[in-house]
Amino acid sequence: MDGSTIVGKSVKVSGPLIIAEGMRNANMFDVVRVGKQRLIGEIIEMHGDRASIQVYEETAGIGRGDDVVSTGAPLSVELGPGLIKNIYDGIQRPLEKLRLLAGANLIRGVEAPALDRSIIWEFSASAKPGDRVGGGSVIGTVRETEIIEHRIMVPPNVSGIITEISSGAFTVEQCVAKLKTDKGEIRELTLMQKWPVRVPRPYTEKLPPNTPMITGQRNMDTMFPIARGGTACIPGPFGSGKTVVQHQIAKFSDVDIVVYVGCGERGNEMTDVLREFPELNDPKTGRSLMERTVLIANTSDMPVAAREASIYTGITIAEYFRDMGLSVAVIADSSSRWAEALREMSGRLEEMPGEEGYPAYLTSRLAQFYERAGTVKCLGGDGRTGSLSAIGAVSPPGGDLSEPVTQATLRIVKVFWGLDSSLAYRRHFPAINWLNSYSLYQDRLAPWYEENVSGEWTENRTEAARLLQLETGLDEIVKLVGMDALSPSDRLIMESARSIREDFLQQDAMDPDDCYCPLDKQAALLSLILSYYRKGGAAIAKGADINRLASLPVREGIGRAKMIPYAEYKEEYKKIESELDEQLEELVREAEKA
C-alpha cells in the first residue's frame, strides 16, 4: 500500500452495511475494499471520520477491526469493445469469467476485469495526426459484432491535438493514439475508457422526442406509443406477463442496442433470459440477438445492495452506446426490487422512513434513473444524434397500483402500460389494460405516424379507443338485462369493440406472423376492423338486421387477418374488404325486400 491509501477499521457490521472509522480523507461514493477477502463496497454516508459503506457481497465473517481500504475512486464501469454479448453482475463483473475462475457457485472476493484484456481487436483509425479533437470525437472504429461497429471516442473530459495514431491490432489497454491536451500534457488514448456510474455522461443538447420506438406490438405502437428517448413503466401483479412483454420489446424493438438489467429477478427467470437470448434471431438482421445485447444479471439471492448498482451500471453502459449515435433501450426488471434494496439500506442507516417503509428520497432516486433517458445531440461536433429509451417493470405487491414505487414511477415516466391479471388469465397477450394505460407522447408522435404510416392514424386510433370505452359502459347494462335489451347501434358497438380487443389488441407471441406486426400492417388491420363498424352502421340505418350483421361470414376473415404473412397482407385485406362490401349489400337488399 502506498502512503496515500486510506485505511480505516470497521466498527459495526449490519448485513450489507458496514460502519468504518478513520476514513476522514475518503470521499462520498468512493469504492472501498473490506476485510481480508477485499469485498467491494461503496461509501454512501460520511460523518466526520466515520463512513457508512454498502457492501456488494455477503458480509458474513466480517467483524470489528477489519481493514477498510479506500481506492480513492468512485464506482465506475469499463466501456469499450467486448461489452456486447457479455453477461455481467450488478457491479460489472463478467459472470462467465467468474464461473471459470470460481466454479458454478461464485465465492466472495473473486475479481475479473469487465473487459477481457486478452482479446485482440482490429482498430481502424479515422482521425490523423494534427487533428484537433474534443470529448466525444470519434477517432476510429472496431468491428465488435457483425451488426455493431464500435466507435472509439475521446473521453468526454479530454480535448487537444492528436500527435500519434495508428490502425492495427490492439487489446483494450494498449495505446492507439496520443493526444496533446490544452495544458500541454501528453495523454494516451486506448480502446477502453472508464466512467463513474452515478454521473450522467454529458451531451451537447437534449432534443424533443418526436420519433416512435417501434416495438411491433400493436397495443403499444398504435394505442400507447413510446418515443425514442422516452420513458415507460410496465406495472403488473405476478403472472400478468411483465417478463414476456419485456422480452418482446428486447427482441423486436427497432433499436440498435438492448441493455437488459435483471434487477433482483428470480434466478429461474434470469436463467430463461440467458438461455433464450443467444438462441433467438434478430428479426432485422437474422443474426443472434446477443450480437446487439448486453445482459446484467442480478438475481434475488445476490446481496441486496448490488441491486442498486445494477441499475446505474446498466444506464451508464446504455449512455456510452448512445454517445456513439446509436439508438439504445435499457430494460430494467424490476424497479420494485431495486426500491426494496433502498428500503433495506435506509432501515439499516436508521433513517426516518417514508410511506410503507421506503425512504423519503425514493422518488428522486427513481428520477435520477429515468431522467438519464432522452434523444440527444452527441458530443464530438459531427452532428450525430443518439437516443436512450428507459423501460422499467414495477412489481406492486398484490397488483396494488397505489403502492409507493408505482406511484413514484408514474410521476416520472410518460408511458404507462398497465398489465391486468384478469386479462392474463383469459390468455389475452399482451395483458395491457386499455382503460387505465396511457401515453403522453401521442400528440407529439401523431404527425410522424400520419406522414410515415397512414393519414388516418390519429382518427382511427381515437375511434378505437372510444369504442373500447363505450363497450365498458354497455357491458354493465348487458350484465343486468342481457344483450337483447341493447339497440342495434349499441349491439354493433359491442361487436366492433370485441373485434378490436380480440383481433387487434390481442397478439400471439408464439406465432411467427403475429408476434411482430409492422406499422403499416397495424394501420391496415385497424382500418379493416373499423370498416366493419362504419359500414355496418350505415347498413343498420338502412334496416339491416343486427343479428345477421353480427354473424356475417366475413367476420371470420377479419378475425384471421392478423395471422396473414406480411408479404401477402395487402392483397388479402383488399379481398376481405370486398367480401365485407358484398355481404353488407346483400343484407341491405334483404332488408329492403322485407
Side-chain angles (χ1 to χ4, degrees):
M1 297 179 189
D2 58 44
S4 63
T5 303
I6 301 162
V7 182
K9 298 288 184 182
S10 61
V11 295
K12 177 183 175 182
V13 180
S14 174
L17 174 69
I18 288 180
I19 310 293
E21 287 184 339
M23 307 291 290
R24 182 174 298 277
N25 295 321
N27 298 311
M28 277 284 287
F29 302 123
D30 275 1
V31 171
V32 299
R33 298 290 183 168
V34 180
K36 294 178 181 177
Q37 292 176 306
R38 292 177 53 80
L39 307 183
I40 188 168
E42 184 183 21
I43 296 175
I44 56 174
E45 267 190 14
M46 292 290 296
H47 297 284
D49 73 336
R50 280 198 167 205
S52 299
I53 299 160
Q54 66 176 359
V55 180
Y56 295 130
E57 298 183 78
E58 176 60 50
T59 58
I62 300 295
R64 288 175 60 91
D66 279 345
D67 285 346
V68 177
V69 182
S70 172
T71 63
L75 184 65
S76 302
V77 289
E78 295 182 352
L79 304 168
L83 285 171
I84 296 176
K85 293 188 179 181
N86 228 322
I87 302 162
Y88 296 106
D89 72 354
I91 49 178
Q92 213 202 8
R93 294 182 301 184
L95 291 176
E96 186 63 30
K97 184 73 73 174
L98 297 188
R99 185 182 68 83
L100 295 174
L101 292 172
N105 297 314
L106 299 183
I107 57 176
R108 295 184 299 166
V110 63
E111 292 182 61
L115 298 179
D116 195 322
R117 306 298 198 254
S118 63
I119 298 178
I120 305 295
W121 299 98
E122 195 64 38
F123 172 68
S124 176
S126 57
K128 56 186 184 299
D131 285 355
R132 179 164 189 84
V133 294
S137 297
V138 177
I139 60 170
T141 58
V142 166
R143 176 59 65 179
E144 184 166 2
T145 69
E146 289 290 329
I147 57 177
I148 297 296
E149 186 178 69
H150 196 111
R151 293 169 183 167
I152 305 302
M153 299 173 290
V154 177
N157 49 4
V158 177
S159 63
I161 296 173
I162 291 181
T163 58
E164 295 178 31
I165 188 168
S166 57
S167 300
F170 300 93
T171 66
V172 291
E173 289 184 303
Q174 290 177 324
C175 173
V176 298
K178 290 184 179 179
L179 180 146
K180 187 176 183 180
T181 67
D182 298 333
K183 294 180 180 179
E185 302 167 347
I186 298 297
R187 173 80 178 256
E188 291 190 349
L189 301 181
T190 65
L191 300 181
M192 176 184 76
Q193 55 180 270
K194 290 189 177 183
W195 192 261
V197 297
R198 294 182 184 273
V199 179
R201 285 177 65 88
Y203 49 81
T204 302
E205 179 187 355
K206 186 165 268 191
L207 305 173
N210 50 24
T211 305
M213 188 187 90
I214 300 162
T215 65
Q217 311 304 299
R218 292 186 290 269
N219 211 328
M220 298 177 185
D221 291 341
T222 298
M223 304 304 288
F224 313 109
I226 178 175
R228 280 195 179 189
T231 54
C233 74
I234 313 175
F238 175 77
S240 58
K242 290 188 297 296
T243 303
V244 180
V245 168
Q246 290 177 102
H247 287 192
Q248 291 295 94
I249 294 170
K251 293 176 203 173
F252 297 120
S253 59
D254 66 335
V255 295
D256 300 307
I257 300 287
V258 173
V259 180
Y260 187 96
V261 184
C263 176
E265 271 300 282
R266 299 172 189 84
N268 58 345
E269 290 192 9
M270 282 311 302
T271 302
D272 287 344
V273 173
L274 300 181
R275 284 180 174 171
E276 282 181 18
F277 274 40
E279 295 175 2
L280 293 170
N281 287 334
D282 182 353
K284 293 187 290 296
T285 62
R287 302 191 61 84
S288 170
L289 196 64
M290 285 300 290
E291 292 193 12
R292 65 180 183 98
T293 303
V294 181
L295 292 178
I296 297 174
N298 175 265
T299 57
S300 53
D301 65 335
M302 288 180 174
V304 70
R307 294 183 192 178
E308 191 197 7
S310 66
I311 290 281
Y312 291 112
T313 298
I315 199 83
T316 306
I317 291 172
E319 283 179 332
Y320 173 66
F321 285 110
R322 176 208 69 190
D323 291 347
M324 294 183 198
L326 301 176
S327 176
V328 188
V330 60
I331 300 172
D333 187 10
S334 84
S335 57
S336 292
R337 297 189 178 96
W338 177 70
E340 287 169 6
L342 291 180
R343 179 166 62 182
E344 175 162 341
M345 291 307 300
S346 176
R348 293 185 184 278
L349 289 166
E350 300 176 4
E351 296 172 337
M352 184 67 74
E355 190 179 355
E356 293 189 20
Y358 289 103
Y361 48 78
L362 172 65
T363 303
S364 65
R365 290 290 179 86
L366 281 166
Q368 285 174 11
F369 168 69
Y370 283 107
E371 287 177 6
R372 289 170 73 167
T375 299
V376 303
K377 189 177 288 184
C378 306
L379 294 177
D382 58 1
R384 68 183 184 275
T385 60
S387 68
L388 196 170
S389 308
I391 301 166
V394 185
S395 308
D400 177 17
L401 299 185
S402 65
E403 59 89 39
V405 180
T406 306
Q407 290 301 308
T409 305
L410 290 184
R411 286 194 284 272
I412 300 162
V413 302
K414 291 195 172 184
V415 177
F416 172 71
W417 292 319
L419 298 179
D420 190 328
S421 57
S422 65
L423 287 174
Y425 295 148
R426 297 206 303 261
R427 298 295 185 265
H428 185 291
F429 174 83
I432 295 173
N433 189 314
W434 47 87
L435 297 176
N436 61 15
S437 299
Y438 62 82
S439 169
L440 300 181
Y441 295 115
Q442 282 171 5
D443 292 342
R444 185 176 289 278
L445 296 176
W448 186 94
Y449 275 100
E450 290 176 0
E451 182 180 342
N452 295 279
V453 183
S454 167
E456 301 175 344
W457 183 84
T458 302
E459 180 188 349
N460 286 349
R461 189 218 155 271
T462 304
E463 181 81 337
R466 185 183 73 86
L467 291 175
L468 291 169
Q469 192 74 43
L470 289 172
E471 181 198 29
T472 305
L474 292 172
D475 197 41
E476 295 298 319
I477 298 172
V478 171
K479 288 175 182 174
L480 289 172
V481 294
M483 183 72 80
D484 293 338
L486 297 180
S487 66
S489 58
D490 286 345
R491 282 278 307 277
L492 180 62
I493 288 173
M494 294 291 284
E495 291 293 333
S496 302
R498 182 169 68 87
S499 186
I500 292 169
R501 286 190 287 107
E502 296 178 0
D503 305 335
F504 185 78
L505 298 182
Q506 193 169 341
Q507 210 158 337
D508 189 344
M510 307 304 291
D511 185 278
D513 294 312
D514 194 37
C515 60
Y516 176 82
C517 189
L519 287 184
D520 54 344
K521 185 180 177 184
Q522 292 185 35
L525 179 58
L526 184 58
S527 182
L528 184 63
I529 293 169
L530 291 176
S531 285
Y532 169 77
Y533 170 68
R534 290 163 178 157
K535 293 175 179 178
I540 286 174
K542 294 177 182 177
D545 178 52
I546 182 60
N547 291 316
R548 293 285 310 280
L549 184 62
S551 57
L552 284 178
V554 73
R555 293 203 66 195
E556 185 176 346
I558 295 174
R560 295 179 182 276
K562 61 184 179 182
M563 303 293 188
I564 295 172
Y566 180 71
E568 304 169 16
Y569 90 88
K570 289 182 181 178
E571 190 80 22
E572 293 297 322
Y573 283 15
K574 283 180 184 176
K575 290 180 183 176
I576 295 171
E577 190 87 43
S578 299
E579 290 173 18
L580 175 64
D581 291 339
E582 291 170 7
Q583 292 175 23
L584 287 174
E585 287 173 11
E586 179 67 25
L587 274 186
V588 171
R589 281 197 297 270
E590 289 177 7
E592 289 172 347
K593 287 178 185 176

